[in-house]
Amino acid sequence: MVTNCKYLIYIDEKGTQETIQALGNLKTPYDDRQKIELGTDKMKDFVAAAVLYEQVHAENIEQAYLKLEEQYKNTSQKYSNSDVELKGNHILKKNFKYGVADLNGPRLTFYNRLIDMLSRNQVKTHVFLVNKISLAVDKRFKNWLIKVCDRYDQIIYFNLAYSLIKYIELEASKEVIQALFNPNISNTRVLKFIHADIKKFVRKHTNSLNKRMLLQLNNYKQIIAIIDNYAMYLIDDKYAEQDRFITLDWKKAVFNMDLWLTELKLERKSATLHLDEGFKAEIFNDLHLNQIHADLDSKNFVGLRIADVLVVFIGNYISKLTYASMYDKDNPYKQKFLPSDFFNLTEEQFLFLKKLYAYLYLDGHTYSITNDLYFDSSLLFQTFLSYISEYNNYAQYRSVPSEEHPKRHLKEFAIIYKLKMKNAERDDHLIKSIFDGHGNAIKLGIARP
């Protein structure tokens, strides 16, 4: 496909499903850590990656990537002398439990050279994440949350929505999860399940002196009070006839991508967007680009293959970090650290992570990595990379005992977490004062949908 546009954009995604369902049916027994069916990608977040480069660099980029592909395939008995398209999942295989700490040999070389090539050719990357549990909360309760928060100044929308999502992600019972994802159960009834479940949790831990638990209990008590006082505003939408009940709202991804393109000051009418198989072009019309080509075969578009190997790598890394950091519901007072295995790095792995952090986060732009309202997974990935990058060299990094790295990382996570929460609350107050609430801000395209 030939294009005269100045800029070429390619998008691929991982973690999407036709519809998201709760575990616990005849085929999938319930698992309290996973809670929902995750599809073939096994990700608790939907992750999309876009790569952007100028047409003038396209030939160099595509030839360099094809060379990378060939070099990797030549190291594999399975892919050597094969014309099969190399996918990110082929490279990571199943040996990625502790991320880059499990990446070595040709697999590490491939990603090392990939980041070098992208940096050298000024390829811009945008990554967007949205938590799958949050999609169900949005579907059921977003309009209700906005209505309540816009009417009452003392209730902060971000805090309420975030706390509700976090409770469901971490603490919700099997009964709540299965009701939440069941279109035959009304919003009001689901809210009653949530109310009873949170009250049960608060009663169980009411005598706790643990600082983290006291903060958690305070948040949960606020949710209980809001349900007690404002449940009457909740509307029971009819979902039973919907084939796809809980699924991704692509407006979220498009909104964040629009922020990224605006920050880059991209000439929209000089850009062509290329979408992998399964995408619909009309989803991206609001970006106002010159051309949008959808449902393309990545065999014919190197840009799509670059997006694939990036999104598979980043999505899987985030997934591994997220699962490894989940706290034990049966022992909620125990502080949870990442396993030290994530930090057991060779010098080559260490230098690669520093390079990756610089490429993804130190490009001078705010919206290269974005998330929806619930940001824990993306922040975990960011702080993991930033923590590694704080060390000037490998000798300095190795001078710290391996069991100490997870503790130091958690301290960094806590600092940035508090800052993000503070900034989100500040933005919430600004939206109320300037736009008279989230409802108006969303209609005007100012706040995320």
Side-chain angles (χ1 to χ4, degrees), residues 140-141 144 164 167-168 173-198 227 231-237 239 245:
R140 293 276 192 183
F141 305 121
W144 172 66
L164 185 57
Y167 144 72
I168 295 172
S173 66
K174 176 182 176 180
E175 183 181 42
V176 168
I177 294 297
Q178 292 186 328
L180 183 68
F181 286 87
N182 187 342
N184 296 307
I185 298 179
S186 69
N187 294 340
T188 300
R189 193 172 167 208
V190 174
L191 194 63
K192 287 179 180 177
F193 284 140
I194 290 172
H195 184 263
D197 198 42
I198 296 179
I227 295 174
M232 76 283 289
Y233 295 126
L234 181 61
I235 295 173
D236 280 325
D237 297 310
Y239 303 123
F245 178 41

Side-chain angles (χ1 to χ4, degrees), residues 37-63:
E37 294 183 1
L38 298 179
T40 56
D41 294 316
K42 298 296 180 185
M43 294 181 185
K44 300 194 80 169
D45 297 282
F46 160 82
V47 187
V51 294
L52 181 156
Y53 49 84
E54 293 188 46
Q55 174 77 56
V56 69
H57 299 308
E59 186 175 356
N60 286 340
I61 292 167
E62 292 169 9
Q63 286 183 357

Side-chain angles (χ1 to χ4, degrees), residues 350 353-355 357-358 384-392:
F350 168 80
L353 287 175
K354 285 174 67 72
K355 182 189 299 181
Y357 178 68
F384 175 76
L385 293 181
S386 65
Y387 171 74
I388 301 294
S389 297
E390 287 176 0
Y391 293 91
N392 294 322

Side-chain angles (χ1 to χ4, degrees), residues 246-279:
I246 306 298
T247 189
L248 177 69
D249 180 359
W250 273 98
K251 291 179 182 178
K252 293 176 179 289
V254 172
F255 179 85
N256 282 26
M257 191 172 174
D258 181 67
L259 289 173
W260 176 58
L261 296 177
T262 300
E263 186 179 43
L264 292 176
K265 298 179 180 179
L266 190 81
E267 304 165 40
R268 304 287 181 103
K269 291 303 179 183
S270 297
T272 296
L273 176 61
H274 304 80
L275 303 168
D276 203 0
E277 292 174 316
F279 283 97

Side-chain angles (χ1 to χ4, degrees), residues 90-116:
H90 296 155
I91 301 169
L92 296 188
K93 302 173 184 174
K94 294 182 179 179
N95 189 17
F96 201 62
K97 183 178 180 180
Y98 297 110
V100 166
D102 283 331
L103 202 67
N104 45 48
R107 300 187 305 145
L108 180 58
T109 299
F110 174 88
Y111 275 105
N112 227 328
R113 290 175 178 174
L114 174 68
I115 299 302
D116 285 340

